């Protein structure tokens, strides 16, 4: 086992350029709240608790992750903690400079592009999707807002695709889908609810988001991500390479936990990620995700009006709400943090920031299909944003029979796996 390390220092990757953009079960939307509602949303006063966070990373390794890491940017002071390896074959220590597949964190990037198009007058949130993509969806009542807030009722095709995790993955590892292929997979099944009636997480929604981006701009999502987000924020470690299968440069390999207990981990690093695309296809680094979410909450990626739209919340559970491609997590110390989770084969990602964007965390474990690790990494938010007072509770591992804190919502949300 490789020991954890922690490094603090002045952040070198400050954002120099900001955009001038003129920017499983259903949950009823009765808890919808506007921006500013809920808990205090300012940066935590307590310093990040490196010891508590290190304990969480070590626990993730003990539960089966080859490596785990966390990077905190606390208003320019950077904390880097690593544990374990990024490659089981070479034994190389995992690094906070590693690139990795961010999974559903991609949804926040896709939402930003669409909200910038709203600012440009090219899209309206409350217009039906079929206004822009005629005949795509079976219900003209499904709006762009419904899609971005997971309230469309469109069935999540990954429920069937990844019900058996490893065989499902191997069947699509090198496959290239069109967006319409994925929407057709969804439409084979009944919808989960009427448009706007309930929150029900579905990757299909952000496949539709990608189609909207490409239809309205005439460009690929790769081009729009690069032009509107990657380049202006100088995110030099962030890529959208679909349908290529390799992660450019130094990266953490991803390891998928097999469905059969005791079987070997499956190296899932190389894949097209075509089953995800605009719902989960981006590759990035902890630095770049910290910069992205900090810039987003500081209002550098869209107008104040559209950021307000993005942060109109639908309550998901007692600690989580969802806006437009953005999650809010309410922590034990009374603050809320904003960002997204990501699950893609071989990677669990948590990327969140405070409402003022002054403290950001990206945490990663290079495994998936492992509920114990998922729950452990969820606890990284507490020491990162609440400090040492939350460390002991956050570092505890749930005992046998304890209900999981977290769900596999990003991939196959209706499939329960241990």
């Amino acid at each position: 086992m490789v020991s954890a390390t922690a490094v603090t220092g002045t952040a070198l990757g400050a954002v120099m350029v900001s955009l001038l953009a003129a920017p499983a079960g259903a949950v009823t939307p009765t808890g919808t709240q506007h921006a500013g509602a809920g808990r205090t949303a300012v940066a935590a006063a307590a310093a990040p608790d490196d010891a508590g966070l290190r304990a969480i990373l070590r626990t993730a390794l003990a539960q089966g992750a080859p490596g785990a890491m966390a990077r905190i940017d606390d208003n320019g002071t950077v904390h880097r903690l690593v544990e374990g390896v990024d490659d089981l074959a070479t034994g190389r220590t995992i690094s906070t400079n590693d690139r990795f597949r961010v999974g559903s964190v991609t949804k926040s990037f896709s939402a930003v592009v669409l909200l910038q198009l709203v600012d440009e007058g090219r899209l309206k949130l409350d217009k039906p999707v079929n206004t822009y993509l005629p005949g795509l969806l079976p219900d003209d009542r499904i709006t762009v807002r419904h899609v971005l807030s997971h309230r469309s009722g469109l069935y999540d095709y990954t429920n069937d695709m990844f019900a058996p995790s490893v065989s499902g993955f191997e069947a699509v590892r090198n496959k290239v889908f069109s967006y319409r292929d994925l929407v057709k997979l969804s439409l084979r099944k009944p919808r989960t609810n009427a448009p706007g009636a309930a929150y029900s997480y579905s990757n299909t929604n952000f496949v539709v988001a990608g189609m909207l981006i490409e239809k309205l701009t005439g460009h690929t999502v790769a081009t729009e991500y690069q032009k509107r987000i990657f380049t202006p924020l100088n995110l030099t470690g962030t890529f959208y390479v679909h349908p290529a299968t390799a992660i450019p440069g130094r990266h953490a390999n991803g390891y998928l936990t097999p469905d059969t207990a005791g079987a070997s981990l499956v190296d899932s690093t190389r894949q097209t990620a075509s089953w995800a695309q605009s719902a989960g296809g981006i590759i990035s680094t902890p630095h770049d995700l910290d910069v992205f979410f900090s810039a987003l909450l500081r209002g550098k990626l869209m107008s104040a009006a559209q950021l307000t739209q993005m942060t109109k919340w639908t309550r998901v559970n007692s600690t989580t709400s969802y806006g437009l491609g953005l999650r809010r997590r309410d922590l034990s110390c009374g603050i809320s943090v904003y960002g997204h989770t990501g699950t893609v084969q071989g990677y669990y990602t948590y990327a969140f920031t405070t409402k003022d964007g002054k403290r950001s965390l990206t945490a990663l474990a290079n495994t998936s299909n492992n509920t114990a690790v998922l729950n452990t990494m969820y606890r990284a938010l507490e020491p990162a944003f609440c400090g040492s007072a939350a460390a002991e509770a956050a570092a505890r591992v749930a005992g046998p029979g304890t209900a999981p804190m977290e769900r596999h919502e990003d991939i196959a949300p209706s499939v329960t796996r241990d």
Side-chain angles (χ1 to χ4, degrees):
M1 180 180 293
V2 180
S3 298
T5 62
V7 181
T8 60
T10 302
L12 300 177
V15 178
M16 300 303 295
V17 182
S18 62
L19 284 178
L20 299 177
V27 178
T28 56
T30 54
T32 300
Q33 303 176 39
H34 289 263
R39 298 185 177 202
T40 305
V42 296
D49 176 29
D50 287 353
L53 192 50
R54 184 181 297 115
I56 287 168
L57 302 183
R58 288 177 173 168
T59 298
L61 260 65
Q63 294 169 332
M69 62 174 164
R71 181 188 188 276
I72 300 170
D73 187 334
D74 188 18
N75 201 26
T77 298
V78 177
H79 302 242
R80 302 178 181 89
L81 298 103
V82 302
E83 191 78 32
V85 301
D86 65 11
D87 186 336
L88 286 173
T90 66
R92 184 175 66 179
T93 302
I94 200 167
S95 167
T96 57
N97 294 320
D98 284 346
R99 296 165 182 170
F100 54 90
R101 298 188 183 278
V102 307
S104 285
V105 178
T106 302
K107 292 178 171 66
S108 297
F109 288 79
S110 296
V112 165
V113 174
L114 287 176
L115 287 165
Q116 289 179 2
L117 292 172
V118 174
D119 270 330
E120 294 163 14
R122 300 160 77 178
L123 179 70
K124 292 187 182 297
L125 290 173
D126 295 311
K127 284 277 191 181
V129 169
N130 284 349
T131 302
Y132 305 102
L133 298 166
L136 177 69
L137 302 182
D139 192 330
D140 286 339
R141 297 175 298 167
I142 298 174
T143 67
V144 176
R145 188 187 299 275
H146 292 151
V147 164
L148 293 181
S149 60
H150 292 296
R151 295 185 298 123
S152 68
L154 294 171
Y155 179 79
D156 192 333
Y157 58 87
T158 69
N159 288 336
D160 303 315
M161 190 177 282
F162 300 122
S165 183
V166 175
S167 61
F169 167 63
E170 294 295 1
V172 300
R173 181 197 282 263
N174 295 307
K175 192 166 183 177
V176 177
F177 294 94
S178 72
Y179 286 126
R180 288 187 181 272
D181 290 337
L182 298 174
V183 172
K184 286 177 182 177
L185 290 175
S186 170
L187 296 182
R188 289 177 184 173
K189 293 294 183 74
R191 281 170 281 154
T192 56
N193 50 262
Y199 169 93
S200 185
Y201 192 96
S202 175
N203 286 287
T204 309
N205 289 313
F206 279 79
V207 171
V208 173
M211 296 180 74
L212 286 166
I213 291 169
E214 296 196 348
K215 177 64 179 292
L216 293 169
T217 66
H219 301 137
T220 65
V221 293
T223 297
E224 293 302 311
Y225 293 150
Q226 189 70 51
K227 179 178 72 173
R228 295 171 177 272
I229 304 173
F230 301 170
T231 297
L233 296 183
N234 196 29
L235 306 184
T236 57
T238 304
F239 304 89
Y240 184 83
V241 301
H242 173 268
T245 61
I247 299 177
R250 173 168 175 150
H251 59 271
N253 284 6
Y255 295 94
L256 177 59
T257 305
D259 298 293
T260 304
S264 299
L265 296 174
V266 176
D267 189 328
S268 54
T269 311
R270 284 184 170 267
Q271 59 169 299
T272 62
S274 193
W275 65 267
Q277 298 189 55
S278 52
I282 284 177
I283 293 161
S284 193
T285 66
H287 166 272
D288 283 7
L289 293 184
D290 284 351
V291 169
F292 169 67
F293 280 112
S294 176
L296 173 58
L297 269 293
R298 290 177 190 236
K300 295 185 175 183
L301 287 169
M302 63 188 71
S303 68
Q306 297 319 315
L307 187 57
T308 296
Q309 295 300 317
M310 194 178 201
T311 54
K312 288 184 176 180
W313 307 108
T314 298
R315 176 65 70 177
V316 175
N317 57 40
S318 62
T319 60
T320 304
S321 299
Y322 205 92
L324 303 183
L326 190 69
R327 292 189 188 278
R328 188 186 82 199
R329 287 287 170 87
D330 302 328
L331 304 182
S332 66
C333 57
I335 72 159
S336 296
V337 291
Y338 306 82
H340 216 288
T341 52
T343 302
V344 66
Q345 291 90 357
Y347 304 93
Y348 285 140
T349 304
Y350 286 86
F352 286 84
T353 193
T354 48
K355 190 172 185 181
D356 59 9
K358 290 184 178 179
R359 183 179 298 180
S360 302
L361 163 75
T362 296
L364 171 82
N366 60 338
T367 194
S368 66
N369 195 29
N370 184 324
T371 300
V373 172
L374 181 72
N375 289 341
T376 291
M377 295 304 292
Y378 169 84
R379 298 183 180 96
L381 298 177
E382 293 284 339
F385 293 103
C386 294
S388 59
E392 184 177 348
R396 287 196 194 103
V397 179
T402 301
M405 297 169 59
E406 190 74 327
R407 295 177 57 204
H408 286 270
E409 197 174 57
D410 296 324
I411 293 182
S414 293
V415 177
T416 301
R417 285 190 284 268
D418 289 332

